[in-house]
């Protein structure tokens, strides 16, 4: 299994970087459109799309940072990717809840829930990342590698 991944690593990284490039262009376009048209930022659902676009922009950048294999860069990229993936998923959940409340429940005031969306979508991923960081679960961790080796030997 390791040889397959090692042999195909360049192709996998190439496809990943190509997809990250497309995401970077798309999220940049979204951000520019929303920022340049100030009246669009007054729409709560479009502000959520702006937050998701910011997260996708950072995620796209993070896929180009994995070239550097220093431990500090690895920790930063791990933190960034964990935070952005989880936060973007939660922002999309908030967008879906917002649409449900507006369409099915016919609630017109979506702004009153925006603070809760922020707390969930920024706070929970940050808390998760802090816990992972404090337990040394990010990066090229020798302790995790050794535990995996022990588990592999025990399974054989």
């Amino acid at each position: 299994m390791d040889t397959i991944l090692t042999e195909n690593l360049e192709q996998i990284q190439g496809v990943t970087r190509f997809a990250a490039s497309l995401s970077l262009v798309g999220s940049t376009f979204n951000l520019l459109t929303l920022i340049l048209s100030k009246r669009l930022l007054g729409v709560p659902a479009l502000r959520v799309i702006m937050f998701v676009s910011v997260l996708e922009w950072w995620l796209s950048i993070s896929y180009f940072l994995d070239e550097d294999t220093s431990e500090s860069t690895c920790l930063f990229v791990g933190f960034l990717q964990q935070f952005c993936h989880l936060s973007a998923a939660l922002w999309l959940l908030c967008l879906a809840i917002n649409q449900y409340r507006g369409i099915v429940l016919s609630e017109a005031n979506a702004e009153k829930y925006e603070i809760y969306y922020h707390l969930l979508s920024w706070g929970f991923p940050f808390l998760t990342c802090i816990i992972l960081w404090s337990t040394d679960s990010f990066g090229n961790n020798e302790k995790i590698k050794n535990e995996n080796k022990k588990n592999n030997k025990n399974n054989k």
Side-chain angles (χ1 to χ4, degrees), residues 30-43 46:
N30 278 348
L31 288 170
L32 287 175
T33 301
L34 289 169
I35 290 169
L36 294 176
S37 178
K38 294 192 189 317
R39 68 180 172 83
L40 292 178
L41 288 177
V43 180
L46 293 179

Side-chain angles (χ1 to χ4, degrees), residues 11-136:
Q11 290 91 0
I12 293 169
Q13 287 176 334
V15 170
T16 301
R17 289 197 176 105
F18 176 73
S21 298
L22 293 177
S23 182
L24 185 63
V25 169
S27 57
T28 301
F29 181 74
N30 278 348
L31 288 170
L32 287 175
T33 301
L34 289 169
I35 290 169
L36 294 176
S37 178
K38 294 192 189 317
R39 68 180 172 83
L40 292 178
L41 288 177
V43 180
L46 293 179
R47 281 197 302 264
V48 171
I49 291 172
M50 182 187 71
F51 298 137
V52 172
S53 295
V54 167
L55 292 165
E56 290 297 329
W57 191 89
W58 277 107
L59 268 174
S60 300
I61 295 297
S62 75
Y63 285 110
F64 292 99
L65 295 176
D66 65 1
E67 254 328 286
D68 182 8
T69 56
S70 70
E71 179 142 0
S72 59
T73 302
C74 189
L75 289 172
F76 174 73
V77 169
F79 190 96
L80 185 65
Q81 288 181 352
Q82 178 71 28
F83 177 83
C84 290
H85 277 294
L86 184 54
S87 186
L90 290 171
W91 273 114
L92 291 175
L93 172 68
C94 292
L95 182 62
I97 291 169
N98 204 33
Q99 289 175 335
Y100 174 80
R101 296 185 83 83
I103 296 169
V104 176
L105 302 179
S106 299
E107 285 187 12
N109 189 5
E111 289 184 35
K112 70 179 182 179
Y113 298 105
E114 194 169 347
I115 186 70
Y116 300 112
Y117 296 161
H118 282 282
L119 289 172
L120 174 68
S121 299
W122 298 119
F124 182 72
F126 186 73
L127 181 64
T128 303
C129 288
I130 293 298
I131 291 170
L132 289 172
W133 191 21
S134 67
T135 59
D136 201 24

